[in-house]
Amino acid sequence: MIKARVTVTLKTGVLDPQGKAIEGALGTLGFAGVGHVRQGKVFDIELDGSDKAKAEADLKAMCEKLLANTVIENYSVTLI
Amino acid sequence: MKSAVVLLPGLNRDRDMIAALTKISGHAPATVWQTDTVIPDVDLIVIPGGFSYGDYLRCGAIAARTPVMRAVAEKAAQGVMVMGVCNGFQILLETGLLPGALMRNASLKFVCREVKLEVANANTAFTRAYEPGQIIRCPVAHHDGNYFADPETLARIEGNGQVVFRYAEGTNPNGSINNIAGVMNEAGNVLGLMPHPENLIEAAHGGSDGRALFEGVLGIAA
């Protein structure tokens, strides 16, 4: 079995009001020196088989078709 | 003119939409369910508002991958009119039938109130019963209505007149870029908007400013 981690983040230039709110809350908690915070998503996915090249290709297709909205989000795939 | 309403688990404005279509057209719309792969022969398909699939992943993301939405996309490609309201707008964007994306409101708050809309393009099959630049009242109720498109897409849709509705000056409830409340596709047969015209069609609603949208799209003279 192959385990993978997919990370989806907002593209640069896309407004992230939730990240901004988290940024403010960290400041309120007294963490000094916190710069920009951007919120994203993480998907841990298990795949049958051992063909890593196929797994990477499948995961990329999953990102393009469902996991990320490529209008506003970037994604990265890591096999773990 | 025949219409159909798409039903999906988690939508909650479907009855309002069916009531509006029935009252204004005089005929009850057909309904199609998430697993339907065939849509009856209709002139207009409407996707109502709500929270399809609990807004999991992203608003409209799961709904956009259902069999019925594949069938809607095929109908749209054939030129059938398609209108999505609120969650229906989010679904049309996720399906790729409309440009851009809808994000969390800039205020991070759910907004449920009345706004003023400017009819930014009255020369469409949807808005032809309105005057150009007409300001109408319309309710909104959403958490993710903050329209976004990259600069190239934005310039293209503005240039093509694909921005159909804007929040009138000072009433933008969600931070939408260029005050965009509703957009259509380049071909002009698919429209998505966040506000709920189906909830302002008769005196009992406190006004009927939304009625002309249905009259226009249904081909009924006001």
Side-chain angles (χ1 to χ4, degrees), chain A residues 9-16 19-20 23 36-40:
Chain A
T9 51
L10 282 175
K11 287 182 176 176
T12 309
V14 175
L15 183 72
D16 179 12
K20 275 273 171 216
E23 194 179 305
H36 291 310
V37 176
R38 308 279 283 169
Q39 180 177 306

Side-chain angles (χ1 to χ4, degrees), chain B residues 30-55:
Chain B
T31 55
V32 286
W33 181 237
Q34 55 173 338
T35 47
D36 288 343
T37 52
V38 177
I39 294 176
D41 192 15
V42 294
D43 310 288
L44 169 70
I45 302 166
V46 183
I47 309 162
F51 302 86
S52 59
Y53 302 91
D55 282 348

Side-chain angles (χ1 to χ4, degrees), chain B residues 171-194:
Chain B
T171 68
N172 185 337
N174 51 38
S176 280
I177 200 161
N178 289 16
N179 295 322
I180 289 172
V183 297
M184 65 177 185
N185 64 343
E186 197 168 352
N189 69 312
V190 180
L191 170 73
L193 70 163
M194 283 315 291

Side-chain angles (χ1 to χ4, degrees), chain A residues 27-55:
Chain A
T28 305
L29 286 171
F31 291 103
V34 176
H36 291 310
V37 176
R38 308 279 283 169
Q39 180 177 306
K41 296 184 183 116
V42 168
F43 305 86
D44 286 332
I45 300 177
E46 296 176 352
L47 297 167
D48 289 340
S50 57
D51 185 342
K52 290 191 174 180
K54 181 181 183 303

Side-chain angles (χ1 to χ4, degrees), chain A residues 40-73:
Chain A
K41 296 184 183 116
V42 168
F43 305 86
D44 286 332
I45 300 177
E46 296 176 352
L47 297 167
D48 289 340
S50 57
D51 185 342
K52 290 191 174 180
K54 181 181 183 303
E56 285 193 340
D58 285 351
L59 287 158
K60 188 167 182 292
M62 290 176 204
C63 289
E64 291 284 339
K65 288 187 174 178
L66 180 63
L67 299 179
N69 178 345
T70 54
V71 174
I72 48 171
E73 293 169 329

